């Protein structure tokens, strides 16, 4: 996990001196101050027997059978944005990756790379968010790592989380898609991308768009309980719903057509997209997923999703036979056009 | 070129001819926009906003006529439009 | 949203498409000169729906595309200077000059910011007096009033750390150049509705009389565009080279006098280079010398070179004047893509080539 000496050491008595307002390099150098950071801020918050053991590795019990494992790095500017922050993002992002893979998330690791000079108050707020998000999903933090790096080596705070979960629902994945399958989304699209863009660039919209940053555990476990013929699921993060559709159609070798009139878009995202010339399908979601189910099962699926925290879930299109342009959009004018594949982060247009 | 979006004048903030500002509502999202080109706008008017600057007051009467024409033509698909 | 949704009604769109098809006794050639219209025609699938009845050409309507590489080079080199913050519209960040794009300059350490409005760049300068803030201003007459306002507000508030690198262009002279092209095929023009919101459309009467081509002032929503096209077809069918306003809710004959006064206070009409088209007489706006302190060219002693920068085989000049359809260019999708543009119209999503590529109007050739 780490190339330096064991970082999370057994407890030591807290020092009398005050930590100051900001984190200094000394807190990342593996000595007494590092131990204090871990003891006071990590173990105190997340204390569970596995974590509190503070060994070089967490020793965990997993049920027999298949496990799912995923890892993701989180960088976001600003760290706190309307509707969420990097702490929630780092937990929900990894938890959601497990959930859409058919797994029940169990354990999480958290690695932090902290820029020298970050106010303690900021770190504490982020760690409180991590704790809240863990509580909301029933996942245990069992191991982690902390580094402090010189100014400008990172932008304030980078987090990396790794998650392990037990597979409770094997999925065919996009290779199992069939023509006639129906495509659904669990809620309004593009909210996270719009929220972060507006917060970062200070575009001055009021109220600012809110991120959808949140866990997908409840609606997806409800789909498993209802025993629906789900082909595949994906949380529509970077690149938005458009990126998911492009990837699925490429893997399946089939077409996917969605209709713009069917896409759920919140009023704030709609306004921001009109003003900045953006496409909601290209904006990231962090608490919204795309699902493909066997044809004829869309209404049952919708009912389950809507009854489990996704009131705006909608059927948006269907899988078709192979086309020259695999992902397609049916416009309000009733025409089918190729769905543009996102390239790079969305930039506001004036043209 | 020229992404322009209509929004409703919610309230004037500053009436100066050069630095005039008003809060404009775009379907529930508001933004402060520059009003130097539409000093005669009143609250409730719709203005066309481009790059943060209101460029004109949307003529509600002209818009109504256009839409009525369109509705009439749509209702009678065989009818000929008048230029 | 009011004044948007009503103009996207599916039944009315279908009925409009039917009427246009019925009214065309032959396949007329109509050009729009506004990237926003190009984008909307393709995004809503209107152009393919009319393919049999109308040949739509997309003129030099994207100010991002026609900004010379020399201007972008000046902007990227300024962004790399120690105290300078270079701000511009998001559209400009991906456009390559000869020394890369502003996004690439940012990766090399340049301080580049996206703004929604030039006025936001002035605010930012006020809040960051230690920075030298330069706004890269591009656009037609629609956008120029916002730049003018930024300059006049900065002047009044004596903001000392703000200046503008301006390359504003004027649409009508470019339309004249296209209409005068002996190889040109354009039979009617859609005039850019938001440009006319500012300038009015009185000058188009002389244009239509002298060129014999009808001009229809047209908006941007699907039904606005269809109404503009339908009107243009009616004029063509009856042989009338007139000017008709199909965007009455926003464009008036005289334009906006307040906006025109702002333009006069800040800019003078000048001959300026358009990327891909060369120097167009009276084709742009330059900042008055009395405002030299707010003109980044004067402030930083920039001299934009006039070298024609279009790469050898790129035929963007022919695309922009309507002599060549993008998919007919040998480079289209064949070394020239939005990710690796070889010429101006492939660089911005409003550029004709990029729009054709994204919406696969070559029948999917580009999207294998």
């Amino acid at each position: 996990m780490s190339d330096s000496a064991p970082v999370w050491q057994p407890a030591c008595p807290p020092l009398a001196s005050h930590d100051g307002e900001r984190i200094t390099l000394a807190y990342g150098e593996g000595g007494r101050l590092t131990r204090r950071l871990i003891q006071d801020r990590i173990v105190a918050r997340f204390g569970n027997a596995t974590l509190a053991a503070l060994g070089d590795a967490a020793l965990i019990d997993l049920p027999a059978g298949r496990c799912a494992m995923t890892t993701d790095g989180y960088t976001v500017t600003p760290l706190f944005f309307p509707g969420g922050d990097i702490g929630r993002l780092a937990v929900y992002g990894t938890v959601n990756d497990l959930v859409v893979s058919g797994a029940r998330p169990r354990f999480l690791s958290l690695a932090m790379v902290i820029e020298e000079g970050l106010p303690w108050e900021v770190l504490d707020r982020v760690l409180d968010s991590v704790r809240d998000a863990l509580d909301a999903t029933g996942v245990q933090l069992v191991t982690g790592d902390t580094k402090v790096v010189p100014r400008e080596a990172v932008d304030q705070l980078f987090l990396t989380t790794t998650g392990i979960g037990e597979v409770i629902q094997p999925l065919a994945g996009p290779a199992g898609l069939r023509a006639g399958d129906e495509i659904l989304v669990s809620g309004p699209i593009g909210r996270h991308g719009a929220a972060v863009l507006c917060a970062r660039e200070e575009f001055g919209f009021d109220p600012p768009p809110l991120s959808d940053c949140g866990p997908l555990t409840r609606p997806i476990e409800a789909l498993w309980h209802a025993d629906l013929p789900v082909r595949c699921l994906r949380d529509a993060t970077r690149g938005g719903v458009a990126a998911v559709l492009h990837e699925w159609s490429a893997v399946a070798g089939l077409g996917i057509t969605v209709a713009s009139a069917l896409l759920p878009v919140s009023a704030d995202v709609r306004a921001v997209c009109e003003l900045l010339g953006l496409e909601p399908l290209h904006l990231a979601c962090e608490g919204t997923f795309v699902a493909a189910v066997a044809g004829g099962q869309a209404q049952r699926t919708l009912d389950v999703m809507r009854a489990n925290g996704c009131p705006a879930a909608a059927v948006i299109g269907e899988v078709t036979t192979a086309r020259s342009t695999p992902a397609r959009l049916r416009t309000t004018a009733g025409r089918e056009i190729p769905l543009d594949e996102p390239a790079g982060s969305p930039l506001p247009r004036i043209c | 070129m020229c992404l322009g979006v209509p929004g409703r004048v919610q309230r004037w903030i500053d009436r100066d001819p050069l630095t005039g500002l008003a809060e404009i509502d775009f379907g529930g999202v508001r933004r402060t926009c520059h009003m130097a080109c539409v000093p005669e706008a009143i609250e409730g008017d719709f203005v066309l906003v481009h790059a943060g600057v209101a460029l004109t007051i949307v003529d509600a009467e002209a818009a109504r006529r256009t839409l009525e024409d369109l509705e009439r033509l749509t209702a009678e698909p065989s009818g000929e439009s008048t230029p | 949203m009011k004044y948007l949704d009503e103009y996207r009604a599916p039944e009315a769109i279908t009925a409009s498409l039917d009427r246009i098809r019925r009214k065309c006794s032959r396949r007329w050639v109509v050009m729009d000169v506004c990237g926003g219209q190009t984008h909307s025609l393709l995004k809503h699938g209107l152009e393919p729906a009319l393919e049999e009845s109308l040949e739509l050409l997309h003129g030099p309507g994207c100010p991002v595309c026609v900004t010379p590489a020399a201007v972008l080079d000046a902007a990227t080199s300024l962004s790399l200077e120690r105290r300078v913050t270079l701000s511009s519209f998001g559209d400009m960040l991906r456009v390559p000059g000869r020394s890369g794009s502003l996004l690439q300059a940012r990766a090399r350490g340049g301080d580049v910011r996206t703004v929604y409005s030039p006025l936001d760049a002035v605010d930012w300068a006020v809040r960051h007096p230690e920075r030298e803030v330069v706004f890269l201003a591009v656009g037609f007459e629609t956008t120029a009033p916002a730049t003018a306002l930024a300059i006049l507000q900065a002047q009044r508030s004596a903001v000392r750390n703000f200046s503008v690198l301006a390359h504003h262009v004027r649409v009508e002279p470019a339309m004249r150049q296209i209409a005068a092209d002996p190889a040109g095929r354009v039979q009617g023009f859609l005039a850019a509705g938001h440009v006319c919101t500012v300038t009015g459309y009185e000058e188009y009467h002389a244009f239509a009389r002298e060129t014999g081509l009808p001009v229809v002032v047209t908006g941007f929503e699907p039904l606005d565009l269809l109404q503009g096209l339908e009107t243009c077809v009616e004029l063509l069918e009856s042989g009338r080279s007139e000017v008709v306003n199909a965007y009455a809710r926003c464009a008036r004959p005289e334009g906006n006098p307040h906006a025109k006064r702002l333009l006069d206070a800040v800019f003078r009409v000048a001959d300026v280079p358009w990327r891909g088209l060369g120097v167009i007489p009276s084709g742009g706006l330059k900042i008055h010398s009395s405002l030299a302190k707010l003109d980044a060219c004067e402030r930083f002693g920039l001299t934009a070179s006039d070298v024609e920068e279009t790469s050898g085989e790129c035929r963007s000049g022919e695309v922009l004047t309507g002599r060549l359809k993008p998919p007919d260019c040998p480079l289209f999708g064949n070394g020239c893509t939005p990710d690796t543009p070889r010429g101006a119209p492939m660089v911005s999503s409003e550029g004709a080539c990029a729009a054709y590529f994204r919406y696969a109007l070559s029948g999917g050739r580009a999207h294998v």
Side-chain angles (χ1 to χ4, degrees):
Chain A
M1 178 174 68
S2 160
D3 56 4
S4 54
V7 177
W8 289 15
Q9 292 281 331
C12 63
L15 297 184
S17 71
H18 189 259
D19 281 333
E21 284 178 7
R22 289 172 185 275
I23 301 168
T24 58
L25 280 175
Y27 283 87
E29 281 164 4
R32 199 163 54 221
L33 292 176
T34 305
R35 284 210 307 282
R36 194 163 80 208
L37 188 164
I38 288 156
Q39 200 61 42
D40 293 359
R41 290 188 149 82
I42 309 284
V43 177
R45 263 191 191 82
F46 305 103
N48 58 61
T50 315
L51 177 68
L54 293 176
D56 275 353
L59 303 176
I60 52 178
D61 291 313
L62 284 170
R66 286 176 78 79
C67 287
M69 179 172 168
T70 185
T71 191
D72 221 334
Y74 296 87
T75 67
V76 62
T77 310
L79 293 180
F80 302 89
F81 47 84
D85 58 73
I86 192 171
R88 285 187 167 74
L89 204 58
V91 176
Y92 293 142
T94 292
V95 162
N96 290 347
D97 281 348
L98 291 172
V99 173
V100 296
S101 306
R104 177 173 294 149
R106 296 286 306 277
F107 303 108
L108 202 76
S109 78
L110 171 68
M112 305 190 283
V113 181
I114 303 169
E115 183 186 16
E116 168 190 27
L118 185 80
W120 285 109
E121 183 262 335
V122 170
L123 183 67
D124 285 335
R125 280 173 65 199
V126 170
L127 291 173
D128 284 345
S129 279
V130 170
R131 183 194 55 209
D132 293 348
L134 289 167
D135 289 349
T137 48
V139 176
Q140 269 194 348
L141 183 70
V142 291
T143 185
D145 182 42
T146 305
K147 295 282 186 294
V148 183
V149 296
R151 247 182 202 291
E152 297 189 4
V154 297
D155 181 10
Q156 300 185 81
L157 178 64
F158 290 177
L159 302 182
T160 300
T161 50
T162 298
I164 294 181
E166 53 183 301
V167 174
I168 56 172
Q169 183 77 29
L171 286 168
L177 289 171
R178 296 287 173 268
D181 287 354
E182 296 183 87
I183 305 287
L184 300 91
V185 290
S186 65
I189 63 174
R191 295 173 61 201
H192 180 72
V196 170
L197 180 68
C198 291
R200 186 178 60 226
E201 306 293 350
E202 302 172 30
F203 286 134
F205 299 125
D206 173 43
L210 286 183
S211 170
D212 57 345
C213 179
L216 296 173
T217 327
R218 181 177 160 212
I220 290 178
E221 292 222 354
L223 293 181
W224 307 148
H225 286 135
D227 201 23
L228 286 159
V230 176
R231 306 272 198 219
C232 50
L233 299 173
R234 177 69 60 79
D235 52 340
T237 55
R238 271 177 306 181
V241 172
V244 174
L245 301 178
H246 270 276
E247 198 172 316
W248 283 3
S249 54
V251 171
L254 294 169
I256 295 181
T257 301
V258 297
S260 60
L262 299 177
L263 298 171
V265 179
S266 61
D268 53 0
V269 170
R270 166 84 202 278
V272 164
C273 284
E274 293 289 352
L275 283 160
L276 302 180
L278 301 173
E279 169 56 67
L281 281 164
H282 289 166
L283 295 176
C285 310
E286 284 292 347
T288 303
F289 64 96
V290 188
V293 295
Q297 299 297 318
Q299 189 56 51
R300 267 184 68 213
T301 312
L302 265 190
D303 293 343
V304 171
M305 283 159 73
R306 287 180 176 163
N308 285 279
C310 303
V315 179
I316 61 168
E318 68 280 329
V319 179
T320 68
T321 51
R323 298 280 169 83
S324 58
T325 52
R328 300 168 74 85
L329 183 67
R330 195 174 303 120
T331 70
T332 43
R335 311 295 308 181
E336 273 193 25
I337 59 169
L339 174 61
D340 197 11
E341 186 170 15
S345 64
L347 287 173
R349 293 192 292 126
I350 194 70
C351 272
Chain B
M1 176 63 179
C2 313
L3 201 68
V5 181
R8 188 174 175 278
V9 180
Q10 203 72 14
R11 99 192 142 84
W12 274 89
I13 297 167
D14 175 354
R15 284 281 193 172
D16 182 275
L18 184 65
T19 58
L21 292 171
E23 189 178 272
I24 310 293
D25 179 88
F26 301 93
V29 174
R30 290 176 300 279
R31 193 188 194 274
T32 302
C33 295
H34 295 266
M35 300 294 275
C37 298
V38 288
E40 69 280 25
I42 57 171
E43 285 160 18
D45 278 348
F46 275 77
V47 290
L48 179 80
V49 175
H50 169 75
V53 176
L55 287 182
T56 193
I57 300 172
V58 179
D59 183 336
E61 179 54 28
R64 192 185 56 76
R65 277 198 306 273
T66 305
L67 286 171
E68 280 177 6
D69 285 350
L70 278 167
E71 274 169 31
R72 186 173 44 76
L73 289 167
T74 305
E76 323 163 5
S78 56
E80 288 291 321
S81 77
T82 44
Chain C
M1 289 167 77
K2 192 168 162 67
Y3 295 124
L4 293 181
D5 297 329
E6 306 94 300
Y7 299 90
R8 298 178 187 177
E11 308 77 36
I13 290 172
T14 308
S16 288
L17 289 169
D18 284 344
R19 286 198 305 278
I20 293 172
R21 289 193 199 102
R22 270 204 315 274
K23 284 179 183 171
C24 286
S25 66
R26 49 170 292 193
R27 195 164 179 253
W28 298 103
V29 182
V30 177
M31 175 179 268
D32 68 72
V33 284
C34 176
Q37 293 175 335
T38 306
H39 191 76
S40 197
L41 283 167
L42 294 167
K43 180 182 163 190
H44 294 281
L46 303 177
E47 175 159 351
L50 289 169
E51 207 158 19
E52 312 272 291
S53 313
L54 283 176
E55 181 175 352
L56 296 175
L57 300 178
H58 309 290
C62 163
V64 173
C65 299
V66 300
T67 300
V71 174
L72 284 156
D73 292 342
T76 48
S77 73
L78 274 179
S79 78
L80 291 163
E81 286 196 17
R82 199 165 52 87
R83 288 184 56 229
V84 171
T85 296
L86 197 289
S87 56
S88 194
F89 302 124
D91 316 42
M92 293 306 294
L93 268 54
R94 286 205 185 98
V95 186
R98 278 162 301 197
S99 50
S101 66
L102 284 167
L103 278 184
Q104 288 165 331
R106 182 153 79 189
R108 298 207 302 271
D111 186 8
V112 178
R113 282 186 65 84
T114 310
V115 291
Y116 167 63
S117 168
L119 283 310
D120 295 349
V122 179
D123 283 348
W124 206 82
V126 170
R127 283 184 284 130
H128 297 85
E130 77 288 358
R131 304 294 299 173
E132 185 67 45
V133 178
V134 179
F135 177 70
L136 169 59
V138 298
F140 289 150
E141 292 97 325
T142 321
T143 317
T147 305
L149 202 52
I151 288 175
L152 293 174
Q153 289 194 12
Q155 184 193 35
R156 186 204 275 186
S157 320
V159 181
R160 290 181 204 292
N161 59 328
F162 176 79
S163 60
V164 172
L165 177 58
H167 190 82
H168 282 296
V169 291
R170 300 175 67 236
V171 175
E172 196 262 358
M175 287 167 67
R176 281 194 177 271
Q177 178 154 324
I178 291 162
D181 180 357
R185 302 166 47 234
V186 182
Q187 293 169 312
F189 277 106
L190 301 186
H194 291 159
V195 169
C196 295
T197 298
V198 171
T199 62
Y201 49 88
E202 280 157 351
E203 65 182 340
Y204 290 115
H205 291 290
F207 173 87
R209 214 170 32 246
E210 288 159 29
T211 60
L213 302 174
V215 177
V216 182
V217 179
T218 303
F220 299 81
E221 295 306 317
L223 285 172
D224 290 321
L225 284 158
L226 292 173
Q227 202 195 350
L229 288 170
E230 186 173 351
T231 309
C232 196
V233 167
E234 285 166 359
L235 293 171
L236 288 164
E237 290 287 341
S238 57
R240 287 176 292 157
S241 51
E242 293 170 13
V243 180
V244 177
N245 182 9
Y247 193 40
R249 69 182 183 279
C250 286
R252 332 237 195 276
E254 71 285 4
N256 183 326
H258 304 289
K260 289 204 275 194
R261 261 200 301 281
L262 288 175
L263 295 186
D264 290 342
V266 170
F267 298 111
R268 64 185 166 82
V269 173
D271 304 345
V272 304
W274 290 48
R275 193 173 190 173
L277 292 180
V279 173
I280 296 187
S282 303
L285 299 169
K286 291 217 153 129
I287 299 173
H288 284 308
S289 51
S290 57
L291 294 163
K293 278 186 182 161
L294 288 146
D295 184 341
C297 289
E298 301 292 330
R299 200 180 176 93
F300 297 94
L302 303 173
T303 45
S305 92
D306 288 331
V307 180
E308 183 52 57
E309 67 286 328
T310 306
S311 61
E313 316 120 82
C314 172
R315 295 168 69 184
S316 64
E318 291 167 72
V319 169
L320 293 175
T321 51
R323 273 183 276 162
L324 186 73
K325 295 283 266 188
D328 298 330
C329 174
L331 289 179
F332 183 82
N334 182 22
C336 183
T337 70
D339 296 332
T340 55
R342 299 282 285 274
M346 191 59 98
V347 293
S348 149
S349 65
E350 283 65 44
C353 296
Y356 270 73
F357 187 88
R358 284 168 202 277
Y359 295 112
L361 285 187
S362 60
R365 187 168 70 196
H367 288 253
V368 180

